[in-house]
Amino acid sequence: MNKQSSQIRQEFLDFFKKNGATVIPSDSLIPSGDKSLLFTSAGMVQFKQHFLGQSKDAFTRATSCQKCFRTSDIEQVGLTTRHLTFFEMLGNFSFGDYFKKESIAWGWEFLTKNMGLPIDKLYITIYKDDDEAGEIWKKIVPASRITKMGDDTNFWNMGDTGPCGPCSEIYIDLGEDVGCGKPTCSVGCDCDRYLEIWNHVFTQFDKQADGSLKPLPRKNIDTGMGLERIVAAVNGKKSIFDTDLFTPIMDAASELLKVKNEGAQISKLRMIADHARAVTFLISDGILPSNEGRGYVLRRILRRALRQGKLFGYDKPFISDLSSTVFKIMEPAYPELSSRLANIQSIIKLEEEKFLETLHSGEDILSEIINSYKSKKAKIIGGQDVFKLYDTYGFPYDLTKEIAAEQGLNIDEKGFKDEQKKAQEKSRAAWGGSGEKDISFYSVIHKKAGDTKFTGYDNFEDEGEVLALIKDGKEISELKAGDSGEIVLSQTAFYAESGGQTADRGLLESADFSAQVEDVFKPIGSLFVHKVKIIKGSVKVKDNIKTKIDIERRLQIARHHTSTHLLQKALRETFGDHITQAGSLVTKDYLRFDFTHFAQIKKEDLIKIEQRINAVIRANMPVTIKSMKIDEARASGAMALFGEKYGDIVRTISVKEEGADKPYSMELCGGTHISRTGDIGFFKIISESSIGSGLRRIEAAVGAAAEKFVLQEEENISKIVKLLKTSYGESVEQTQKLMEHLEILKTELLSLKSHIASQNIDSYIKNIQEVGGFKFLPLLIENADIKSLRDLSDNLRQKLGSAAILLVSAGDDKSSFIVSLTDDYVKKGLNAGKIAKSFAQEIEGSGGGKPDFAQGGTKNKDKITAAIKTSQKHIKI
């Protein structure tokens, strides 16, 4: 039976929908159901609250096709026929509804009847003590094809304590020709013969601290089947890479890299295909390359794939091209890719270009390090050398390890980590959590209180019942004057911080009670938690109290929020559709907008953007807020936030000129906004800067905040005019004259320094050393520029006739150095460029140049004195 992957994906969802399950869309790769996780690694992640009985959803049966990402098997990707980093997990779930009998029966029916898998090729594993599952399976398959397994493979735990249960797995025998050939080869062998297709987890116990198992009153089903594996099995393929999910990507890579998909090339092309899929979806879900957390993992796999191309001799970006092939395969199932593809490709390409530059310099230095260790017959590269590559040149530890292994060397991992710890408080690769509050405590309150009704879109004041009071992380019955605590209400006019918008401030009041609201947050679902300071009286659970927000603060925040929409529109008008929001912050005092772009924005473009936004403000366009179906919103051209997950009904914010056919701006947004653009008043950009590779940031202010900024700027100009003792009209010309005069004085000072240095040549020569038959002169010159060092070097070479000269100038902000060799030393094999590179490495800087002259620098002044004292070690052929 031959079936396309898209057909199998849909048939699975339809099968369980027919059996009473609600079809749930895939969650983002950034988990919404468990903030402690780095990535969504299984279908059950988004259902964690359902499994714990803490969800308010009405359904008890669900099915999904979940995007997943794992790095646990990254070293195996490409080398085997089944390991991946990015994959889709088909799953069916029961929350206190059906259990083993139905799960097993439906699983078998789907595989054998719907998918047509050969019954005689399917094998079952069960937990060694799970007689219930064993009896169910014996009615379906011969006992000879059922294998009992232990805790390590067939018993699932959520943690040291809590929900757990046995597993039952379904395997398919792919044939002896892909097996290990050992007589003991059977289900569970690490070879490729027996492929695990589907795992059924029966969550039926509550593990106690002493290890004992208590039956759960509410039993759950959690199953997971890799789409890639079932597609291979249904189509009679021995490898998941021989399916329609991968072959087009591998073919495209093969054509781009001009290599054949055969022999030793196959494993590399498999890795490239997997990583191209992963990179495309990680970026689509809002993850951007960086040096920590999720961004570091993304950067790592992108660089791993890119380096495979370099090993093929291909020295240009190509993963960005492959992402379009990934798009063609996956877009029918994930239509959101369509609007994001151009941006995904631009981010990938920029990262590729950046890394290729890093590879060029880093591989040269690593090659020198490897040769140095080999010459000493050492087998382990020191952690300090590995960290210098990583910290100074941005060369990834993982790549250093891989390249070293190719040369038969190991890495001192502990030494590397020790160096890393010295340089920063924690490892850049480590994940310190999302910064989200621990939701386990609040989930209990949420289960009891339910979602808070937010009425603040239409009201600045409302009334709600107190459902919970919290102090010092514990529920209490009363808060009194002077206490700081948290209040949960049935409904509120206060906006909780979300979507980049800061929370409202204001008062909670009743006849004898008043509290200052300092913050409002949503730890889980739509549970609004008011962080308060009790001013007078007391409040108890079930009291009714008024919620009064600070109206002027709300309006100023709303002005800033609507302005971020206008800013994004103006940026896209100016630079193109590759501009995509990468983050934002909306406060009372200013707005911050992060976006994808590849270059610094010129001053004239910033002025153009300001003028465009202010023109829209003066046009006083209506701002319309409307709820609609997500498909309708997308069809209308609404912009969606990168990586955000939306429900079926979304809230749209449209800015539309009266009488126009289409909105000027339309975005999906849950924030608060003004009713007309004229309410914004005035828009002013405060700053524009880089915040990372391909990422820019604009900070701006509007209304009263913009006025305050302009007044401060005027005051600063007035002070400058006063210092210059001139008028406003002449201040620019006067400043220019002053700067020109300053440059003349600098030139005269440098000339004087150079002259004094030249006068001291005889005293400098006294420091000359003999190193391996070469005359070597290392000198430290305080606060000299490169030109002064060059002039002094020329005079020294003329005076000495034959010499290797190292001149270092130690400055406060940056220190510079030059290496100069006479022609006869170059002919004997010395190389100034290599000496400069070697010396730069020691002072944690950079350097290089020609055989007779090279230069470099560092920001680490502290390393210079010691490095000069031992600099003779760099004078070698």
Side-chain angles (χ1 to χ4, degrees), residues 285-556:
D285 280 356
I287 299 167
L288 297 169
S290 70
N291 282 338
E292 59 185 13
R294 298 181 179 107
Y296 174 74
V297 179
L298 166 60
R299 174 167 282 168
R300 177 188 175 192
I301 62 167
L302 176 53
R303 290 179 170 188
R304 285 185 92 240
L306 188 60
R307 185 170 173 267
Q308 300 310 307
K310 200 165 188 300
L311 291 175
F312 285 135
Y314 196 79
D315 213 18
K316 293 184 289 186
F318 68 93
I319 306 298
S320 49
D321 294 323
L322 294 182
S323 64
S324 63
T325 308
V326 175
F327 162 74
K328 289 173 187 174
I329 298 168
M330 306 297 281
E331 192 266 344
Y334 303 97
E336 67 272 13
L337 286 174
S338 181
S339 62
R340 301 172 184 175
L341 180 62
N343 197 58
I344 291 167
Q345 288 184 297
S346 61
I347 291 170
I348 294 173
K349 189 171 184 181
L350 188 72
E351 183 68 14
E352 288 183 285
E353 290 170 345
K354 180 180 176 183
F355 183 55
L356 285 171
E357 291 176 14
T358 298
L359 273 181
H360 289 313
S361 57
E363 284 184 332
D364 287 344
I365 296 165
L366 179 55
S367 180
E368 289 179 15
I369 292 171
I370 287 172
N371 290 335
S372 171
Y373 277 85
K374 280 188 169 182
S375 68
K376 294 182 283 189
K377 302 203 182 305
K379 291 290 184 182
I380 300 175
I381 298 178
Q384 191 173 26
D385 288 325
V386 177
F387 182 70
K388 278 183 184 176
L389 270 172
Y390 169 77
D391 194 48
T392 305
Y393 299 99
F395 202 76
Y397 167 80
D398 306 283
L399 271 187
T400 302
K401 187 177 179 180
E402 283 186 21
I403 295 171
E406 289 166 6
Q407 297 294 321
L409 297 177
N410 293 317
I411 298 296
D412 176 10
E413 186 172 351
K414 183 180 182 302
F416 170 78
K417 288 182 177 178
D418 288 345
E419 290 297 320
Q420 201 173 32
K421 194 173 181 180
K422 290 177 193 174
Q424 55 203 47
E425 289 184 7
K426 60 180 181 180
S427 166
R428 286 180 183 174
W431 172 246
S434 65
E436 300 277 351
K437 294 181 180 289
D438 176 21
I439 66 170
S440 56
F441 170 73
Y442 294 103
S443 64
V444 175
I445 294 174
H446 184 232
K447 184 178 180 182
K448 178 174 61 176
D451 289 339
T452 307
K453 183 179 180 182
F454 174 59
T455 61
Y457 287 137
D458 306 308
N459 303 288
F460 293 147
E461 184 177 324
D462 205 344
E463 188 172 302
E465 180 186 351
V466 177
L467 301 181
L469 297 172
I470 303 159
K471 183 180 178 182
D472 299 328
K474 296 178 181 178
E475 273 199 82
I476 57 174
S477 58
E478 183 180 16
L479 283 172
K480 299 177 182 178
D483 285 347
S484 291
E486 295 168 355
I487 299 177
V488 175
L489 299 169
S490 58
Q491 63 183 37
T492 182
F494 282 84
Y495 183 87
E497 182 174 349
S498 59
Q501 179 177 321
T502 52
D504 285 324
R505 303 288 185 271
L507 295 172
L508 299 180
E509 290 181 335
S510 65
D512 302 311
F513 161 76
S514 179
Q516 186 73 42
V517 177
E518 299 172 340
D519 193 13
V520 188
F521 60 93
K522 292 190 289 185
I524 179 171
S526 290
L527 182 77
F528 284 48
V529 179
H530 305 72
K531 188 175 180 181
V532 300
K533 174 78 173 179
I534 311 300
I535 299 170
K536 72 169 187 176
S538 64
V539 62
K540 296 179 181 180
V541 174
K542 294 189 177 181
D543 283 355
N544 285 308
I545 57 177
K546 289 182 179 179
T547 60
K548 294 182 177 181
I549 69 167
D550 182 333
I551 297 173
E552 185 45 49
R553 186 177 189 278
R554 158 74 77 83
L555 291 175
Q556 183 62 12

Side-chain angles (χ1 to χ4, degrees), residues 567 585 590-595 610 683-689 697-701 709:
L567 175 56
L585 178 65
Y590 71 101
L591 69 87
R592 188 178 75 204
F593 187 76
D594 301 338
F595 57 97
E610 269 187 356
F683 177 91
K684 180 66 184 172
I685 292 175
I686 297 171
S687 66
E688 189 275 339
S689 60
R697 170 174 289 171
I698 284 179
E699 292 187 350
F709 173 76

Side-chain angles (χ1 to χ4, degrees), residues 3-68:
K3 291 190 181 218
Q4 297 289 311
S5 57
S6 56
Q7 185 182 355
I8 293 173
R9 185 191 292 113
Q10 193 58 50
E11 280 192 35
F12 179 89
L13 297 174
D14 289 344
F15 177 85
F16 282 98
K17 183 179 181 181
K18 182 188 72 175
N19 284 295
T22 300
V23 178
I24 305 297
S26 173
D27 196 9
S28 167
L29 288 171
I30 302 173
S32 64
D34 189 341
K35 301 296 184 182
S36 67
L37 295 177
L38 199 56
F39 297 104
T40 299
S41 57
M44 63 79 64
V45 170
Q46 70 167 316
F47 299 115
K48 185 174 180 181
Q49 300 308 313
H50 298 75
F51 283 119
L52 294 172
Q54 296 166 357
S55 172
K56 291 291 181 179
D57 289 329
F59 60 82
T60 55
R61 300 182 182 188
T63 184
S64 69
C65 179
Q66 174 63 51
K67 298 174 292 185
C68 296

Side-chain angles (χ1 to χ4, degrees), residues 87-275:
F87 58 97
E88 295 175 85
M89 185 176 284
L90 301 169
N92 61 285
F93 310 92
S94 167
F95 315 116
D97 194 320
Y98 65 83
F99 201 46
K100 293 181 187 179
K101 182 180 178 181
E102 294 87 350
S103 182
I104 290 171
W106 287 335
W108 186 256
E109 179 185 348
F110 181 77
L111 292 181
T112 58
K113 293 184 179 179
N114 294 66
M115 296 293 103
L117 294 186
I119 293 174
D120 62 334
K121 296 291 183 183
L122 297 178
Y123 289 79
I124 311 301
T125 69
I126 60 172
Y127 181 57
K128 59 185 177 64
D129 296 329
D130 191 1
D131 296 332
E132 182 185 0
E135 290 303 315
I136 296 170
W137 275 119
K138 284 175 186 178
K139 294 175 183 177
I140 299 173
V141 298
S144 60
R145 294 219 303 275
I146 302 172
T147 304
K148 291 187 175 184
M149 307 284 273
D151 293 78
D152 54 338
T153 61
N154 281 61
F155 197 91
W156 177 84
N157 295 281
M158 185 177 282
D160 293 335
T161 59
C164 59
C167 311
S168 179
E169 300 164 321
I170 304 173
Y171 285 77
I172 187 168
D173 182 359
L174 298 179
E176 293 183 14
D177 56 320
V178 292
C180 59
K182 297 176 182 176
T184 56
C185 183
S186 62
V187 172
C189 183
D190 287 336
C191 73
D192 289 333
R193 177 174 175 178
Y194 294 96
L195 179 70
E196 179 197 332
I197 299 177
W198 204 342
N199 187 18
H200 292 237
V201 179
F202 311 124
T203 313
Q204 64 186 96
F205 298 116
D206 183 7
K207 182 182 279 189
Q208 306 301 300
D210 61 2
S212 62
L213 302 176
K214 287 187 177 181
L216 282 171
R218 176 184 149 108
K219 297 172 182 177
N220 303 316
I221 290 290
D222 162 25
T223 84
M225 173 164 60
L227 174 66
E228 297 78 7
R229 294 188 177 195
I230 185 62
V231 171
V234 168
N235 289 281
K237 303 296 184 183
K238 307 286 188 181
S239 166
I240 59 174
F241 295 100
D242 293 335
T243 65
D244 65 343
L245 290 165
F246 292 94
T247 51
I249 309 170
M250 293 175 69
D251 289 345
S254 176
E255 186 176 341
L256 272 171
L257 302 174
K258 294 180 170 49
V259 295
K260 291 184 178 180
N261 187 8
E262 59 184 33
Q265 331 287 32
I266 293 177
S267 63
K268 292 182 175 63
L269 290 172
R270 285 173 175 172
M271 181 202 290
I272 288 169
D274 168 75
H275 287 11

